[in-house]
Amino acid sequence: MSQPVSTAARIESLLQQRLLPVHLEVRDDSAAHAGHASAGGKGHFRVRIVSTCFAGLRPLQRHRLVNEVLSPLFATELHAVAMETLTPDEFFK
């Protein structure tokens, strides 16, 4: 019997498929937000993603791109994502 796929794994999969990161970290911070009434049982995550897709984009544009990729999860299991979005040049300095 297979284990259910975690929200963190679904986040990783979506970001890998759409943004082709050279580095990706996804951390589940939901426990730190336990009892957060407006979360409605959905999770809080932190993402650090490094992708050439961010080249030429301002930070807000990068965050919007990540939110767009993750939008299917916001409807069902994702409440908030804190993110650090970098290009490879910024990451490997």
Side-chain angles (χ1 to χ4, degrees):
M1 184 180 242
S2 65
Q3 295 281 52
V5 178
S6 70
T7 300
R10 282 191 279 282
I11 290 169
E12 284 185 34
S13 178
L14 285 170
L15 293 174
Q16 289 283 357
Q17 291 171 26
R18 297 276 305 278
L19 300 181
L20 306 171
V22 297
H23 179 82
L24 177 61
E25 299 170 37
V26 177
R27 187 175 78 206
D28 186 345
D29 285 346
S30 298
H33 298 273
H36 181 170
S38 66
K42 298 177 185 177
H44 290 73
F45 291 83
R46 181 170 303 279
V47 171
R48 185 178 204 200
I49 182 169
V50 181
S51 174
T52 57
C53 293
F54 300 138
L57 298 180
R58 293 185 303 274
L60 182 59
Q61 293 171 309
R62 295 174 183 191
H63 289 205
R64 284 180 175 159
L65 181 58
V66 171
N67 283 331
E68 178 184 317
V69 170
L70 298 179
S71 65
L73 301 180
F74 278 104
T76 57
E77 59 199 290
L78 189 55
H79 177 69
V81 178
M83 61 185 89
E84 182 179 12
T85 54
L86 303 165
T87 65
D89 288 343
E90 294 165 338
F91 182 68
F92 293 111
K93 274 187 178 180

